[in-house]
Amino acid sequence: MADDLCFFIKDSLIIKPPKKSTLLLRMVVLIFSMVCGVYICSICLRQISARTSGRLLSVQVIRQCEAPIIEPSEKSFVHFPKPKTFSRAECTCNPVQYFAILSTQRSGSGWFETLVNSHMNITSHGEIFSVKDRRKNFSTIADTLDKIYNLDWLNSASKNECTAAVGLKWMLNQGLLQHHVEIVEYFKDRGVSAIFLFRRNLLRRMISILANSYDQNAKLLNGTHKSHVHSPQEAEILATYKPAINTTLLIPNLRQVEEMVTKALEYFNSTRHMVLYYEDIIKNRTILTDVQAFLRVPQMELHSRQVKIHRGSLSSQVENWSDVENTLKGTPYESFLHADYEL
């Protein structure tokens, strides 16, 4: 009996577990391994993604546009605008200079601007503020300037993506002196350089103004008014008109313009600027090299298609020349009676 019991116990001890339990265990281990594998892979992918993003971020930082090596005081005049209306593409990191040509009517500013615009990297947009709504207050002035200097002011003069200097022509009587305090601050804050262009002989300027004003009504060129011409024939036709100058108002008018120029130079003295005179450029074209250096653009030969209208001596251009001569003799303006340059 004892032997049977031992045999029974012995048999019961060596009984093997069913194969199904072993299979289940293996399945559990396999699933666990798969879960661990997926978890480990997800961690690895996150690390790789983070490293990739880090690389991309570092590349973007490296490619940020940087100002060229210049004096620290000049860095505020180097800009990298980001237009809303187009992409600068490969020229994104080319620096851009902001400028404004400040002048008075009939002082050669139109001719000078055509010279500037003949440079492949310079854009000057003309008399933007001849439109009164753009200068009704400083807010509208600032909005307009922002569009110009962000390269979002598009017209026939635009060089778009590869512009290296952008600006406009601005007459002193187009809100410039009226809002001079705010405009000076804008120029200094935004790094805008001023190019003053005036005429030394204010009598010649007056003759040009009177002739241009007459042609606005007479329209001597086949019923069309032109402030600037591109052929000697057109210039000769416009020069046939000889204005009569009001000698009573002559000296007060000359003094008024002189004072306006003096005020402009005084108001904008704290800005980065250069002062040019029409007669000096006529006599010495190397001044245009200085202008290009001032705007930090590559040196090029500048040209203009405009033809000067009034040539020769002033005595042949004024109807009442003897009266004008007598009025200016013995005054600070007597020098205006004499030739100041030759063409």
Side-chain angles (χ1 to χ4, degrees):
M1 183 67 180
D3 291 339
D4 294 340
L5 181 60
C6 289
F7 179 78
F8 175 77
I9 294 172
K10 183 179 179 181
D11 288 345
S12 60
L13 289 173
I14 62 175
I15 293 174
K16 296 179 180 180
K19 289 185 177 180
K20 290 183 178 180
S21 298
T22 303
L23 182 61
L24 181 62
L25 180 60
R26 289 178 178 176
M27 289 294 292
V28 171
V29 173
L30 179 61
I31 292 172
F32 179 76
S33 301
M34 291 176 65
V35 171
C36 290
V38 171
Y39 177 73
I40 292 170
C41 287
S42 66
I43 292 176
C44 292
L45 288 173
R46 287 177 186 173
Q47 291 178 344
I48 292 172
S49 177
R51 289 173 184 171
T52 304
S53 298
R55 289 195 198 100
L56 289 175
L57 181 61
S58 65
V59 170
Q60 290 175 353
V61 171
I62 291 173
R63 293 185 64 188
Q64 286 293 318
C65 300
E66 296 181 359
I69 300 175
I70 57 175
E71 294 295 325
S73 60
E74 298 291 308
K75 285 188 176 180
S76 61
F77 300 99
V78 179
H79 313 281
F80 301 95
K82 297 179 180 178
K84 297 177 181 178
T85 52
F86 66 95
S87 170
R88 294 192 71 205
E90 70 275 8
C91 296
T92 298
C93 288
N94 287 4
V96 178
Q97 304 288 320
Y98 300 162
F99 70 90
I101 301 169
L102 311 183
S103 187
T104 57
Q105 283 83 357
R106 312 309 293 180
S107 294
S109 60
W111 169 72
F112 177 75
E113 190 176 43
T114 60
L115 288 169
V116 168
N117 271 327
S118 70
H119 194 291
M120 65 183 299
N121 300 122
I122 303 178
T123 294
S124 187
H125 289 289
E127 283 186 50
I128 299 297
F129 292 109
S130 61
V131 178
K132 291 183 179 180
D133 285 345
R134 296 172 187 161
R135 65 174 196 261
K136 59 184 178 182
N137 53 54
F138 178 69
S139 179
T140 59
I141 290 175
D143 289 343
T144 302
L145 292 176
D146 286 346
K147 289 181 181 178
I148 291 171
Y149 294 131
N150 200 49
L151 304 183
D152 284 318
W153 195 278
L154 306 179
N155 59 20
S156 59
S158 302
K159 306 297 193 306
N160 293 344
E161 60 269 8
C162 289
T163 292
V166 62
L168 71 156
K169 186 173 67 168
W170 200 345
M171 300 296 104
L172 300 188
N173 62 351
Q174 293 175 349
L176 192 66
L177 299 185
Q178 182 182 354
H179 302 283
H180 71 273
V181 174
E182 297 93 336
I183 294 171
V184 166
E185 287 305 311
Y186 182 97
F187 278 17
K188 293 165 73 174
D189 290 343
R190 295 295 305 275
V192 179
S193 302
I195 300 176
F196 288 100
L197 177 65
F198 299 124
R199 201 159 186 167
R200 292 189 184 279
N201 194 323
L202 299 181
L203 180 59
R204 283 186 178 271
R205 174 182 175 272
M206 179 178 289
I207 294 170
S208 181
I209 288 176
L210 292 173
N212 186 64
S213 178
Y214 171 79
D215 190 65
Q216 287 179 349
N217 296 317
K219 297 180 174 58
L220 298 177
L221 296 175
N222 298 321
T224 303
H225 168 63
K226 290 186 178 181
S227 296
H228 307 98
V229 296
H230 298 121
S231 73
Q233 294 76 19
E234 290 178 325
E236 187 176 348
I237 292 172
L238 293 182
T240 57
Y241 172 71
K242 298 180 180 181
I245 296 176
N246 186 333
T247 54
T248 302
L249 298 177
L250 177 56
I251 291 179
N253 286 342
L254 294 175
R255 185 181 296 118
Q256 182 182 21
V257 176
E258 198 173 51
E259 291 173 352
M260 182 169 60
V261 169
T262 301
K263 282 184 179 179
L265 293 173
E266 178 185 342
Y267 291 158
F268 287 84
N269 184 53
S270 60
T271 66
R272 180 176 183 264
H273 66 275
M274 69 184 306
V275 182
L276 305 175
Y277 289 93
Y278 171 75
E279 291 87 349
D280 296 344
I281 302 173
I282 289 288
K283 291 186 292 186
N284 182 11
R285 288 296 187 91
T286 59
I287 291 175
L288 298 176
T289 301
D290 299 333
V291 174
Q292 294 176 74
F294 181 73
L295 295 176
R296 300 193 186 91
V297 296
Q299 293 291 330
M300 290 183 60
E301 186 72 26
L302 305 183
H303 56 85
S304 173
R305 293 178 54 240
Q306 282 193 17
V307 176
K308 185 170 175 57
I309 297 173
H310 296 97
R311 296 168 174 267
S313 65
L314 285 174
S315 59
S316 64
Q317 300 171 27
V318 180
E319 183 179 341
N320 58 333
W321 176 250
S322 59
D323 295 335
V324 171
E325 197 172 28
N326 291 332
T327 301
L328 295 184
K329 277 185 177 179
T331 73
Y333 308 110
E334 183 176 359
S335 62
F336 294 166
L337 298 169
H338 311 300
D340 45 20
Y341 60 88
E342 294 182 0
L343 294 175

